[in-house]
Every structure is written in structure tokens, then in C-alpha cells.
Amino acid sequence: MSHVWCHGPNCHTYSTQDRVRGSKGSKVLRTRKVKIYDRSNTHMYSYFCSNGCYNDFAHKHVEQIIRIAPRLEPLETRIEDPKKVTHEYQYGSYTTTEIKKIDSNNNVG
Ligand SMILES: [Zn+2]
């Protein structure tokens, strides 16, 4: 088992007990270590200690991240014509719009 340092740019600034390191008189808050259990199965928590650190990274590097996969045109998901559905209950009723996706194999789901 190995580790990486959390990639959150502000990880070392959050005041939590587990980030405190150093000897008396020269204490610091240090970036957390993130354990990697399986290098063939990585995900965001393989590089970030928390969702907050992941968000900090995304906010700081958003322009570079977007360049990985720019969205120049909208995507679309095929759907059936939406239907109004009225739900009855003891004291009245309410109406919702039912939207069913059509998958690429034309199965309704
Ligand atoms: Zn972190």
C-alpha cells in the first residue's frame, strides 16, 4: 500500500487535529496523506482526502480541467413525448410531468 499527498490546494490550511505535525514550538498544519489501496482502481478519493479538497482543486484549476474535454455543443438525450400524470391522494391531487428516456437501443427506460 502506498500513498500520495492530497492534491487539494488548501488541504494544509484546514484546522483539524490530524493535520497537526511537527515538534513543540514549530507546529504546522500539513497536507493529508491519501492511501492508495489499488492502483488499478483509482478514483477521486485516490488523490483527494475529501470532497472539499476535490472542490478546491476544481475551482483553482477549472480552466485547465475544462480543456481536457471542452463542451462546444450541447448533448441531448432522446425522450418520449412528456406526459402529464395526475396523482390522487386522500386530500387532493397533484400533477407531474413524466419524462421517459429512450436509450440508444430504442428500449424505453
Ligand atoms: Zn485534502
Side-chain angles (χ1 to χ4, degrees):
M1 184 169 61
S2 58
H3 77 268
V4 297
W5 296 105
C6 172
H7 283 59
N10 306 328
C11 192
H12 67 290
T13 67
Y14 296 122
S15 304
T16 63
Q17 185 72 45
D18 67 300
R19 289 178 169 97
V20 175
R21 291 290 184 275
S23 52
K24 201 168 181 181
S26 59
K27 293 285 189 184
V28 295
L29 293 169
R30 182 179 294 162
T31 298
R32 280 175 169 163
K33 280 181 181 176
V34 180
K35 289 177 180 137
I36 297 182
Y37 295 94
D38 179 1
R39 285 219 177 263
S40 65
N41 182 25
T42 58
H43 46 77
M44 68 171 267
Y45 293 112
S46 304
Y47 300 97
F48 299 93
C49 74
S50 66
N51 211 296
C53 280
Y54 179 77
N55 289 341
D56 290 343
F57 182 89
H59 288 302
K60 182 172 180 183
H61 300 293
V62 65
E63 293 302 328
Q64 288 137 290
I65 293 167
I66 292 304
R67 282 199 291 273
I68 295 167
R71 169 91 50 240
L72 302 176
E73 301 195 0
L75 303 178
E76 294 182 344
T77 301
R78 290 195 61 216
I79 59 170
E80 292 184 350
D81 292 342
K83 289 184 199 136
K84 295 269 184 223
V85 179
T86 300
H87 305 269
E88 307 280 347
Y89 65 108
Q90 191 174 351
Y91 304 106
S93 66
Y94 64 99
T95 303
T96 58
T97 303
E98 186 179 89
I99 297 176
K100 283 190 175 176
K101 295 176 192 170
I102 302 170
D103 73 22
S104 53
N105 300 321
N106 266 350
N107 296 322
V108 176

